């Protein structure tokens, strides 16, 4: 009796075994791990070269140079990324400028996480007039165009790294407060919180023991996603001349300088732009990966 061609072809294809779903889950787990490992590793390398490498390797000073070495091209002996028009080493300025960028982003997000997160939790848990008053104040700050208000704050306080941090914090605190308030409103009516309240547990114990631990994954993810915006705003301030004062190095100021000499050399513009772009992309990818891993919505 002849076997149909379709049946013969089907017999050649192995049926999926019970291990196939397991392999698929493992493959997805590997991909999710790579979403965190790859950008995290790149950021660690950047942090190493910005903070640790200058301690053990003789990196030139970013603010000392000689006019005899002015405007050297890339791959010049002793100056891998060339020099500026006054002889500053571009590689040193990128490393120390990256250090400044990371310090500002970390400080702004840390202050926003602690202060804004605490105020948001208090507003969401207390409700009533406390919530209304705090949220209206934060809404006023958020309603302003961010860059214009930041420029006004820095211009009134003066150019310095500390003043840039305070100016950017004026927007990170309201942002963290709104996220913390939304999360607290969701957790306030959960059974374990209601049970604690009915058991006459003090409010600060409920916040510290139940609200804050459950909010931390969401807040940490938001801090990473917000760090990319802080880095862009800080670089924009430096680019416009309102950030870190000269001759202190910063990526934004290096991009502004590269724009003035791009007709003769592209590397002073392209190199710091690539570092800025790569850092922001890695921070955003790391935040997205952690959000997927922790199931944050």
């Amino acid at each position: 009796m002849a076997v149909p061609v379709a049946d013969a072809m089907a017999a050649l294809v192995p049926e999926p075994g019970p291990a196939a779903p397991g392999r698929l889950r493992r493959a997805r787990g590997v991909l999710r791990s790579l979403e965190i490992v790859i950008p995290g590793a790149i950021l660690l390398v950047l942090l190493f070269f910005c903070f640790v490498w200058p301690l053990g390797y003789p990196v030139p000073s970013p603010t000392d140079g000689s006019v005899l070495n002015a405007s050297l091209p890339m791959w010049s002996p002793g100056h891998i990324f060339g020099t500026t028009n006054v002889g500053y080493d571009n590689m040193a300025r990128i490393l120390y400028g990256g250090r400044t960028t990371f310090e500002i982003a970390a400080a702004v997000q840390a202050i926003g996480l602690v202060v804004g997160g605490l105020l948001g939790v208090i507003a969401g848990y207390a409700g009533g007039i406390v919530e209304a008053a705090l949220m209206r104040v934060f809404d006023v700050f958020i309603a302003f165009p961010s860059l214009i208000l930041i420029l006004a704050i820095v211009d009134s306080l003066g150019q310095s790294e500390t003043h840039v941090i305070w100016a950017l914090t004026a927007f990170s605190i309201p942002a963290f407060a709104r996220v913390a308030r939304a999360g607290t409103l969701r957790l306030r009516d959960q059974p374990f919180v209601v049970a604690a309240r009915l058991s006459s547990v003090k409010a600060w114990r409920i916040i510290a023991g139940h609200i804050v631990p459950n909010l931390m994954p969401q807040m940490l993810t938001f801090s990473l996603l917000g760090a990319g915006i802080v880095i862009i705003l800080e670089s924009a301030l430096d680019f416009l001349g309102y950030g870190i004062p000269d001759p202190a190095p910063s990526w934004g100021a290096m991009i502004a300088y590269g724009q003035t000499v791009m007709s003769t050399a592209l590397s002073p513009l392209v190199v710091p732009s690539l570092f800025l772009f790569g850092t922001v992309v890695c921070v955003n990818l790391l935040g997205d990966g952690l959000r997927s891993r922790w199931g944050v919505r």
Side-chain angles (χ1 to χ4, degrees), residues 120-121 123-127 131 178-190 211 215:
V121 169
Y125 188 82
E131 179 184 12
R178 290 174 67 91
V179 174
R181 170 184 170 269
T184 303
L185 290 175
R186 186 184 69 253
L187 293 170
R188 189 176 61 181
D189 297 328
Q190 293 296 316
I211 303 295
L215 277 180

Side-chain angles (χ1 to χ4, degrees), residues 64-72 79 83-89:
D64 289 335
S66 172
V67 293
L68 299 177
N69 295 325
S71 302
L72 293 177
H79 303 282
T83 60
T84 65
N85 57 349
V86 292
Y88 296 157
D89 183 75

Side-chain angles (χ1 to χ4, degrees), residues 146-165:
S146 58
L147 186 58
I148 294 177
L149 184 57
I150 290 171
L151 286 171
I153 294 174
V154 174
D155 187 54
S156 61
L157 295 177
Q159 290 180 255
S160 71
E161 183 175 340
T162 303
H163 294 162
V164 170
I165 291 174

Side-chain angles (χ1 to χ4, degrees), residues 231-256:
I231 292 173
I232 293 175
L233 289 175
E234 185 268 333
S235 298
L237 288 176
D238 296 331
F239 181 85
L240 296 174
Y242 284 86
I244 309 301
D246 289 332
S250 65
W251 289 346
M254 293 184 68
I255 294 173

Side-chain angles (χ1 to χ4, degrees), residues 103-105 107-108 111 160-170 172:
E103 288 174 350
I104 291 176
V108 170
I111 296 173
S160 71
E161 183 175 340
T162 303
H163 294 162
V164 170
I165 291 174
W166 288 124
L168 294 174
T169 302
S172 69

